[in-house]
Every structure is written in C-alpha cells, then in structure tokens.
Amino acid sequence: MPGSSQVITANLGAKVAAFTCNINGRPVAVINTEAAHHPELRTQAAFALAGAGLDAGLILGALHGVRR
C-alpha cells in the first residue's frame, strides 16, 4: 500500500479479523477492535494486512493502536 493508505478500526464481529478496500481510490485497511483482546484475531489481522501489502512497521503500528 502506498503512503496514502489508511488503517482504521471497527467492530467487525467475532469472526472477521480485518479486511482491505478502496475508498475514493485510496487503499484502506480495517482492523477488528476485538483483535485487541483476542490473540488469534490479532494474528489473522497481521497476516491480512501483510497480504494487502503493508510493511511490518505499519502492521505493528496498526495493531498497537488497536490495543490502546
């Protein structure tokens, strides 16, 4: 994802860790807020974000932000 990408959080239920989409031509990654409390969802979200092209620093920053 280019530098104009955005990572946001949302309540996605108990089974969805994260997803990516394009909003107005900008790539956006959405992480489930439940990933803050469930290690399995957090791991799945990390793999989803890596598959979408985020680098390790952005992934760690996004997951750390969810845990606050």
Side-chain angles (χ1 to χ4, degrees), residues 3 7 11 15 19-21 23-24 27 32 37 46 61 65 67:
V7 179
N11 184 0
K15 304 243 183 220
F19 68 89
T20 59
C21 59
I23 299 177
N24 293 328
N32 191 344
H37 307 291
R67 295 185 78 177

Side-chain angles (χ1 to χ4, degrees), residues 22-63:
N22 283 312
I23 299 177
N24 293 328
R26 287 182 61 190
V28 177
V30 181
I31 300 175
N32 191 344
T33 54
E34 290 296 314
H37 307 291
H38 298 290
E40 184 177 344
L41 281 179
R42 193 168 34 255
T43 301
Q44 291 173 1
F47 278 109
L49 297 178
L54 267 72
D55 64 26
L58 288 174
I59 293 170
L60 289 175
L63 293 176

